[in-house]
Amino acid sequence: MSKKGYIYSAIVVVIVVAIGAAHFLSTSSSSNQKVTTINVAGVTTNRPYTFPKGGKISGYDGELLQKIDKDLPQYKFNYSTASQNSVFVGLQSGKYDLASSGFWYSADRAKTYLLSKPVGLADLRLVYRSNEGNIKGFQDIVKKHLKLAPISSDDARYNVVEDYNKQNPKYKVNLKAIGDVTAGDALKQLQEKQFDAVFYPYQAYFPVRDSGGAKGLTVSPSLGLKNDYFYANKSDKNKKLLKAVNADLKKLKKSGYLEKLSKKWLGEDVFKLKGAQASWDNDKN
């Protein structure tokens, strides 16, 4: 073999050895990286926020969770859906580490769970029958002697009405509690005149409207905005998780990803609504 041939062979050997070493180091590094499994839950029937699809969670919150899952290689999300009551029970017991479904802030919930930075915004409205006059807010319900649909006591909407009643003792809404009811069922009961108004974010109303289930109904002007949050079971593991999640949420907001997600799932770019930035900046709204 010529001198040039020996040199060529030596170069090939060096390259092969280098590639093998790099592969070994990469594999070794990857295998040594600890991946923490996170059990994630969403509410089964809460479009457009969460609903089951293909063994994962779809909707605004579901797609956001999947994006964060991809962005954080140190974590692996296991997804499941359940009724809202079951999600809260499982979250408190530790069955679930993280849960999301358009959840809002309340002081009581902040004592029970860890809350992320905001993940989205809800546009609060009253839904009512369009042929029976205008309803602009809770005071109209009281003044016109109308009946507000009952709200599940474990739903943050219940807390919003309670807070309104405390701040407006002269115009207190007759607030009644009920078990879990889907937006579709509540709007059907509204059409059947079981009550006169339903309190929901616009984001829960428009999917029912677009599917033809809100005929003869309309919505009030916005009553304000509420931030949506991820909830986590209180543990050191989940404190670390939320630190990573919050950092990724900041990047996703800055990149415009959340705005794109909002247009896709929430019927509007909620981040362009009046007061959106002020609400977003308030971790207790």
Side-chain angles (χ1 to χ4, degrees), residues 250-267:
K250 186 176 181 179
K251 293 177 183 178
L252 295 176
K253 177 66 168 62
K254 186 176 181 180
S255 70
Y257 178 84
L258 296 186
E259 285 82 353
K260 292 178 182 178
L261 214 55
S262 177
K263 291 176 184 177
K264 176 179 179 179
W265 289 107
L266 304 184

Side-chain angles (χ1 to χ4, degrees), residues 50-260:
T50 56
F51 59 93
K53 184 177 180 180
K56 294 185 178 180
I57 305 172
S58 191
Y60 179 92
D61 292 41
E63 192 168 325
L64 177 56
L65 285 164
Q66 291 185 53
K67 170 62 175 171
I68 293 172
D69 189 8
K70 291 179 181 178
D71 289 348
L72 304 179
Q74 68 271 40
Y75 292 104
K76 179 182 182 298
F77 288 3
N78 283 340
Y79 301 94
S80 60
T81 55
S83 71
Q84 181 163 285
N85 285 337
S86 296
V87 167
F88 285 135
V89 170
L91 190 63
Q92 197 164 354
S93 70
K95 178 181 179 181
Y96 305 126
D97 296 296
L98 190 67
S100 185
S101 193
F103 296 149
W104 301 345
Y105 174 91
S106 76
D108 288 339
R109 289 185 176 182
K111 293 176 184 177
T112 306
Y113 312 108
L114 299 173
L115 270 64
S116 70
K117 293 293 184 180
V119 303
L121 288 167
D123 180 11
L124 311 187
R125 308 284 185 109
L126 286 166
V127 188
Y128 60 97
R129 293 182 292 275
S130 55
N131 63 347
E132 296 183 5
N134 294 329
I135 297 178
K136 295 181 179 180
F138 291 123
Q139 283 195 19
D140 285 340
I141 291 177
V142 178
K143 290 177 180 179
K144 296 180 180 183
H145 306 288
L146 303 177
K147 185 178 179 182
L148 182 69
I151 302 171
S152 174
S153 58
D154 70 355
D155 193 309
R157 291 177 297 131
Y158 192 93
N159 301 118
V160 171
V161 182
E162 274 191 324
D163 289 342
Y164 163 83
N165 283 343
K166 291 175 183 177
Q167 296 169 15
N168 298 272
K170 292 184 179 181
Y171 298 99
K172 291 179 68 174
V173 175
N174 184 13
L175 177 61
K176 294 184 178 180
I178 196 174
D180 283 346
V181 177
T182 66
D185 288 341
L187 295 181
K188 183 178 180 181
Q189 292 166 3
L190 177 61
Q191 290 167 323
E192 295 170 349
K193 299 188 177 182
Q194 295 185 35
F195 32 75
D196 303 302
V198 177
F199 177 48
Y200 267 110
Y202 175 71
Q203 286 69 36
Y205 164 77
F206 89 83
V208 180
R209 179 204 63 191
D210 290 352
S211 65
K215 293 180 180 179
L217 303 180
T218 189
V219 294
S220 72
S222 177
L223 302 183
L225 302 174
K226 293 288 288 185
N227 294 337
D228 297 328
Y229 298 88
F230 292 155
Y231 287 3
N233 170 267
K234 283 193 171 182
S235 70
D236 290 339
K237 177 183 76 171
N238 292 333
K239 286 180 182 178
K240 186 176 180 181
L241 166 68
L242 284 188
K243 186 176 180 180
V245 167
N246 288 338
D248 198 42
L249 284 170
K250 186 176 181 179
K251 293 177 183 178
L252 295 176
K253 177 66 168 62
K254 186 176 181 180
S255 70
Y257 178 84
L258 296 186
E259 285 82 353
K260 292 178 182 178

